[in-house]
């Protein structure tokens, strides 16, 4: 059986070493030494000024919207995971969808301005599959219209643009460290900002708004994460280069074997580095997609229709809107299996089956 993804698990002894420390200190959560250490190491690894380790990526999004005091309408992409949109609604704001660019699969900056109204407060864009948004164009629009920018970088761990972390862009960026992501702490998330006042506010918010044991600085929630999660994050960080190298080899092999396959590939940001988080492929028709999925399934190979369907017409709490490009792409896209120990033989098999379906 080949799953679409598989969480990376480090050698158990390395995780156990951290457990001994946790047992000795008996400090289990509430920003203990491992969580603080993870924040330091991630700041270094990602080359960002500040970040906070939080419960998960969804809480990170909610905290970001709240910390920026966003009201009214937030412009966002319908081609993302549901948490991007649901966080906006959860925080009492209205998501306004803007269709994607068919090449980058990210929100199309050329369509943003016509969606701006007097009620618009921000743009929340996703770096889809880790591919950096057109951050320069989005920044220009945001400046002109006095909008805040949040980037959902759940897929974008380790990606750089112009030799700068992708998380350096926008007012706040978030990342998810969920077990299915490229780099994980089982459950976890990051909030990243360059603004120290905003960082302070977010840190208060993460801990119920407490400012010392008997005072409150902000309205808060519980966005903390545990020492056990931090330990997994710390150990996994030792393997990030190995994970990266393996994934690159796998992606290169897919590229080579599928070079004659009639499909559209996402076009990557010219100045952006790759993190090999996903291997999306847009085939010619939904019918062909179904044939592929069925044939692969018969061989116990599982792909994922990610993202399908478009968030613009599936959420019971939102009115449907037409987003022609997103709807078209989401019907024809799938992510092929990609994880650290997928073998090249398995990649070859997947590609052979795909080519056979197409040529039949
Ligand atoms: C995974 C994901 C999230 C949510 O992250 P969690 O850590 O699972 O809460 C948000 N946005 C995108 C694009 C994601 O893929």
């Amino acid at each position: 059986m080949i799953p679409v993804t598989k969480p990376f698990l480090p050698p158990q002894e390395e995780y156990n070493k951290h457990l001994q420390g946790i047992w000795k200190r008996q400090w289990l959560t509430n920003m203990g030494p491992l969580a603080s250490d993870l924040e330091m190491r991630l700041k270094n690894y990602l080359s960002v000024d500040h970040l906070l380790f939080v419960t998960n990526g969804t809480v990170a999004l909610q905290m970001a919207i709240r910390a920026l005091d966003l009201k009214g309408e937030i412009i966002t992409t319908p081609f993302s995971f549901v948490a991007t949109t649901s966080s906006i609604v959860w925080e009492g704001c209205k998501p306004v969808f803007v269709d994607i660019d068919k090449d980058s699969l990210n929100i199309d900056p050329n369509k943003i301005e016509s969606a701006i109204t007097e009620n618009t407060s921000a743009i929340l864009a996703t770096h889809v599959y880790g591919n950096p948004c057109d951050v320069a164009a989005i920044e220009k629009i945001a400046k002109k219209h006095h909008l805040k920018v949040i980037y959902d970088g759940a897929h974008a761990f380790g990606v750089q643009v112009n030799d700068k972390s992708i998380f350096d862009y926008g007012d706040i960026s978030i990342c998810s460290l969920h077990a299915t992501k490229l780099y994980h702490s089982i459950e976890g998330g990051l909030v990243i900002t360059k603004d120290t006042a905003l960082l302070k506010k977010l840190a208060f918010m993460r801990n119920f708004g407490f400012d010392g044991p008997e005072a409150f600085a902000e309205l808060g929630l519980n966005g903390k994460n545990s020492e056990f999660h931090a330990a997994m994050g710390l150990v996994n960080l030792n393997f990030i280069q190995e994970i990266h190298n393996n994934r690159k080899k796998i992606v290169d092999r897919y590229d080579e074997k599928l070079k004659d396959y009639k499909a559209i590939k996402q076009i990557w940001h010219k100045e952006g580095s790759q993190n090999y988080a996903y291997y999306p492929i847009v085939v010619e028709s939904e019918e062909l997609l179904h044939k592929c999925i069925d044939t692969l399934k018969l061989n116990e190979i599982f792909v994922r229709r990610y993202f399908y369907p478009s968030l613009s017409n599936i959420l019971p709490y939102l009115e449907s809107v037409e987003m022609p490009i997103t709807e078209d792409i989401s019907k024809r896209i799938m992510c092929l299996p990609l994880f650290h120990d997928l073998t090249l033989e398995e990649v070859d098999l997947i590609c052979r089956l795909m080519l056979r379906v197409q040529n039949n």
Side-chain angles (χ1 to χ4, degrees), residues 54-291:
V54 299
T55 320
N56 56 56
T58 306
V59 160
L61 279 169
Q62 291 166 7
M63 286 170 63
I65 295 167
R66 204 40 97 98
L68 291 168
D69 246 327
L70 301 183
K71 301 272 181 315
E73 297 171 3
I74 300 179
I75 288 174
T76 192
T77 172
F79 192 66
S80 185
F81 182 62
V82 64
T84 317
T85 299
S86 66
S87 302
I88 295 173
V89 179
W90 195 264
E91 291 304 326
C93 298
K94 183 178 175 216
V96 173
F97 291 120
V98 164
D99 212 349
I100 56 170
D101 174 80
K102 69 173 183 19
D103 298 322
S104 72
L105 307 183
N106 288 326
I107 195 166
D108 186 346
N110 295 320
K111 293 183 185 142
I112 290 179
E113 278 200 286
S114 60
I116 295 174
T117 72
E118 57 184 21
N119 297 321
T120 308
S121 60
I123 300 166
L124 200 182
T126 302
H127 304 300
V128 174
Y129 309 126
N131 183 25
C133 288
D134 188 343
V135 285
I138 291 172
E139 188 175 321
K140 208 161 138 196
I141 297 165
K143 275 224 173 89
K144 183 171 159 199
H145 297 273
H146 309 287
L147 304 177
K148 301 290 185 191
V149 178
I150 299 174
Y151 284 114
D152 181 340
H155 299 171
F157 186 86
V159 170
Q160 299 205 319
V161 177
N162 299 314
D163 296 322
K164 228 169 82 166
S165 169
I166 186 65
F167 298 144
D168 254 4
Y169 294 87
D171 294 281
I172 301 181
S173 289
I174 73 97
C175 188
S176 165
L177 308 185
H178 183 258
T180 56
K181 305 298 206 266
L182 176 69
Y183 163 77
H184 76 89
S185 61
I186 311 171
E187 289 274 0
L190 300 174
V191 186
I192 305 107
T193 180
K194 282 188 292 201
D195 180 332
T196 47
L198 204 50
L199 180 85
K200 205 167 161 196
K201 185 172 180 182
L202 285 158
F204 284 131
M205 287 173 72
R206 175 174 63 175
N207 188 29
F208 309 101
F210 271 118
D211 183 9
E214 291 164 5
F216 296 93
E218 293 289 341
L219 174 66
L221 44 58
N222 181 357
K224 295 177 275 94
N225 211 331
S226 83
E227 291 290 278
F228 295 82
H229 294 85
M232 184 62 87
L234 281 168
V235 178
N236 284 350
L237 203 52
N238 297 334
F239 293 89
I240 191 76
Q241 194 56 47
E242 185 183 319
I243 293 171
H244 184 91
N245 295 347
N246 286 4
R247 283 175 171 266
K248 180 177 188 321
K249 267 187 222 143
I250 294 163
V251 165
D252 287 347
R253 185 74 153 223
Y254 269 128
D255 283 346
E256 179 199 327
K257 294 284 165 175
L258 292 177
K259 67 180 187 302
D260 296 325
Y261 194 83
K262 289 196 285 299
I264 308 166
K265 295 271 279 298
Q266 181 183 33
I267 299 195
W268 208 261
H269 190 294
K270 277 204 284 297
E271 263 73 50
S273 68
Q274 307 231 5
N275 67 353
Y276 311 105
Y278 299 90
Y279 198 88
I281 158 166
V282 185
V283 302
E284 275 190 327
S285 67
E286 192 175 14
E287 193 193 345
L288 180 60
L289 186 87
H290 280 298
K291 278 189 193 154

Side-chain angles (χ1 to χ4, degrees), residues 314-327:
I314 183 69
L315 300 176
Y317 43 86
L318 290 180
E319 254 173 67
S320 288
V321 282
E322 260 176 59
M323 290 283 132
I325 296 173
T326 302
E327 283 161 36

Side-chain angles (χ1 to χ4, degrees), residues 1-8 180-182 243 246-248 250-251 254 276-279 301-302 336-343 346-347 350:
M1 200 272 279
I2 307 177
V4 63
T5 188
K6 212 161 91 178
F8 175 81
T180 56
K181 305 298 206 266
L182 176 69
I243 293 171
N246 286 4
R247 283 175 171 266
K248 180 177 188 321
I250 294 163
V251 165
Y254 269 128
Y276 311 105
Y278 299 90
Y279 198 88
I301 298 163
F302 299 93
L336 298 181
L338 178 54
F339 45 89
H340 61 284
D341 60 356
L342 182 69
T343 67
E346 288 171 322
V347 174
I350 293 163

